Amino acid sequence: MELVGGGGGCSSYPSAAPRSAFVLSNLAEVVERVLTFLPAKALLRVAGVCRLWRECVRRVLRAHRSVTWVSAGPAEGSHLEGHCLVRVLAEELENVRILPRTVLYMADSETFISLEECRGHKRARKRTSMETASALEKLFPKQCRVLGIVTPGIIVTPMGSGSHRPQEIEIGEAGFALLFPQIEGIKIQPFHFIKDPKKITLDRRQLTEVGLLDNPELRVVLVFGYNCCKVGASNYLHRVVSTFSDMNIILAGGQVDNLSSLTSEKNPLDIDATGVVGLSFSGHRIQSATVLLSEDVNDEKTAEAALQRLKAAHIPEQNTFGFMFACVGRGFQYYRAKGNVEADAFRKLFPSVPLFGFFGNGEIGCDRIVTGNFILRKCSKVEDDDLFHSYTTIMTLIHLGTAK
């Protein structure tokens, strides 16, 4: 999916009648208007017709800057070959109107890496995981940076509208991919730190390169530790996060099972390694807020009351998306055999904001708000600033500015 070159005129376009050929060769306004109805893949194909069309395609793609998502769940059929996210993405990307530059995808670990088939067979597990991830990565443009993680459970909003009811899928095949286009004034950067027993301290230069240090426009960091069940993994995650946890930024994330994709790196992934990955969001237009749903939040009433703190942040809902990072110990059983409690509470207060996330093995975050004039404050009085939790849920809003 790259813009291709073409000649200077459109006279070689074979299907156009003489009069229409003149219009489509010389009137940029008409061409651009017609091209706005095409999805991104079709735009990239027609960009090779001529220079005029190529320039029109560039302008159309620059105008399409809204975050798009593709989601898949049990309804897509769990008995078909291949993971449902791969199947749905292969179909839906044909209709996507943006050109993705950064992708964050999450999928359930059990079916994505075929644990049942590969349990006890380390090599087979690695091969299965990389085959699925590779099939997914090939669907995106070559210049697109893809970050993928797998977790025990997934929170998704069905495609089509942010007002659709988000679903907490604790067991079963599920996944989503958030597609971020290039957005003027906003920089989204993946980062990755691998635990190395020979290095006690983190490389400050590497932190700076991915926008985590010496970056006055840094607003939000989504951070995920993977393979955290291994010895020393939890301490390493704490060490990485501590390097930027006291900054005026929003921090949210948690511990996941595995890292499955990171195409921004040249070296192949070692999925048996221990490390920390995530995305940094920089830009003065970004607004964000997080709240912590503690262990005391254990019914519908207290869940909605906790999310009222997020509502009080007054984050604009247009061009905004939400994240829910919940402990695998919460969900259906935690709420006395009632499912989707927290996702439904979120939808009640934010009816037009899509929600995404996972059930994981530990949560990262606290009550914080970054307002429009970049004043960071707590939503409620918190006695300590501990960012690491268990049996909790982190709810986060990220607003990427008013769509132009």
Side-chain angles (χ1 to χ4, degrees):
M1 292 176 69
E2 297 178 352
L3 291 179
V4 295
C10 293
S11 58
S12 61
Y13 194 68
S15 61
R19 181 174 297 181
S20 60
F22 175 81
V23 172
L24 295 177
S25 302
N26 297 278
L27 298 181
E29 295 85 355
V30 175
V31 174
E32 193 167 327
R33 176 62 177 164
V34 172
L35 295 183
T36 57
F37 295 96
L38 296 180
K41 276 196 171 183
L43 286 174
L44 296 177
R45 287 193 287 266
V46 303
V49 172
C50 63
R51 185 179 297 115
L52 173 66
W53 283 35
R54 187 168 67 252
E55 294 305 316
C56 288
V57 165
R58 292 184 189 276
R59 287 193 293 271
V60 170
L61 288 174
R62 281 198 296 266
H64 293 169
R65 292 175 175 171
S66 298
V67 177
T68 302
W69 74 94
V70 174
S71 55
E76 279 71 37
S78 58
H79 301 294
L80 300 175
E81 184 178 353
H83 193 274
C84 63
L85 183 58
V86 180
R87 298 196 303 271
V88 173
L89 265 169
E91 180 178 344
E92 292 297 327
L93 282 177
E94 295 294 329
N95 304 314
V96 167
R97 291 184 174 272
I98 67 165
L99 182 61
R101 291 302 177 93
T102 305
V103 173
L104 171 64
Y105 78 78
M106 301 182 189
D108 71 289
S109 53
E110 184 169 0
T111 55
F112 193 89
I113 61 177
S114 300
L115 285 175
E116 290 185 353
E117 296 179 9
C118 307
R119 189 171 286 120
H121 301 283
K122 190 174 181 180
R123 291 182 180 177
R125 174 177 175 174
K126 181 185 293 187
R127 183 178 64 251
T128 303
S129 174
M130 299 313 293
E131 283 177 357
T132 309
S134 177
L136 212 159
E137 293 166 13
K138 289 177 181 177
L139 298 174
F140 297 106
K142 291 182 179 179
Q143 71 272 24
C144 184
R145 298 170 299 184
V146 181
L147 169 59
I149 55 179
V150 292
T151 69
I154 297 293
I155 294 94
V156 299
T157 297
M159 292 176 289
S161 172
S163 61
H164 288 162
R165 183 194 185 199
Q167 302 171 352
E168 298 178 14
I169 305 174
E170 299 178 57
I171 300 175
E173 191 174 349
F176 67 85
L178 276 172
L179 315 179
F180 297 95
Q182 185 172 346
I183 305 174
E184 184 178 356
I186 292 176
K187 192 172 186 179
I188 303 173
Q189 291 180 271
F191 61 84
H192 185 203
F193 305 103
I194 302 175
K195 182 177 179 294
D196 185 349
K198 297 179 182 179
K199 293 183 179 180
I200 300 177
T201 60
L202 292 172
D203 187 344
R204 184 179 178 89
R205 179 183 58 81
Q206 187 180 7
L207 286 163
T208 303
E209 286 178 352
V210 294
L212 296 177
L213 287 181
D214 303 325
N215 179 8
E217 292 217 326
L218 181 63
R219 297 294 185 265
V220 182
V221 177
L222 299 181
V223 58
F224 313 110
Y226 64 92
N227 283 340
C228 289
C229 60
K230 295 191 175 183
V231 176
S234 181
N235 288 336
Y236 183 71
L237 175 61
H238 280 65
R239 195 193 329 159
V240 171
V241 173
S242 67
T243 59
F244 48 82
S245 62
D246 59 348
M247 300 166 59
N248 287 344
I249 58 174
I250 293 295
L251 274 172
Q255 300 182 31
V256 301
D257 283 351
N258 288 99
L259 169 65
S260 54
S261 294
L262 192 61
T263 59
S264 59
E265 294 189 353
K266 296 180 180 179
N267 298 324
L269 285 182
D270 179 4
I271 66 169
D272 293 320
T274 296
V276 180
V277 295
L279 293 177
S280 64
F281 294 77
S282 304
H284 69 277
R285 298 184 319 179
I286 296 174
Q287 297 184 49
S288 186
T290 61
V291 295
L292 171 68
L293 279 63
S294 66
E295 292 183 67
D296 295 333
V297 177
N298 55 16
D299 57 33
E300 294 169 273
K301 184 177 180 180
T302 54
E304 187 174 333
L307 285 173
Q308 287 287 354
R309 302 200 306 273
L310 195 61
K311 188 72 173 179
H314 300 296
I315 302 295
E317 294 191 23
Q318 182 184 11
N319 206 24
T320 298
F321 50 95
F323 282 106
M324 171 180 165
F325 303 122
C327 178
V328 72
R330 293 180 75 92
F332 181 82
Q333 294 297 332
Y334 195 81
Y335 286 98
R336 301 173 183 85
K338 185 174 179 61
N340 230 70
V341 171
E342 293 176 351
D344 284 343
F346 179 91
R347 181 172 182 257
K348 184 176 181 180
L349 295 175
F350 305 96
S352 61
V353 178
L355 181 67
F356 309 94
F358 60 69
F359 288 92
N361 306 305
E363 303 78 60
I364 302 171
C366 67
D367 280 25
R368 282 182 173 180
I369 300 173
V370 175
T371 62
N373 56 355
F374 194 48
I375 298 173
L376 187 143
R377 62 185 176 88
K378 295 175 182 176
C379 318
S380 62
K381 294 181 179 179
V382 180
E383 293 183 358
D384 59 56
D385 291 329
D386 181 23
L387 293 167
F388 297 89
H389 314 277
S390 58
Y391 293 103
T392 64
T393 297
I394 300 294
M395 287 285 193
T396 305
L397 290 176
I398 301 178
H399 171 67
L400 297 181
T402 303
K404 296 182 179 180

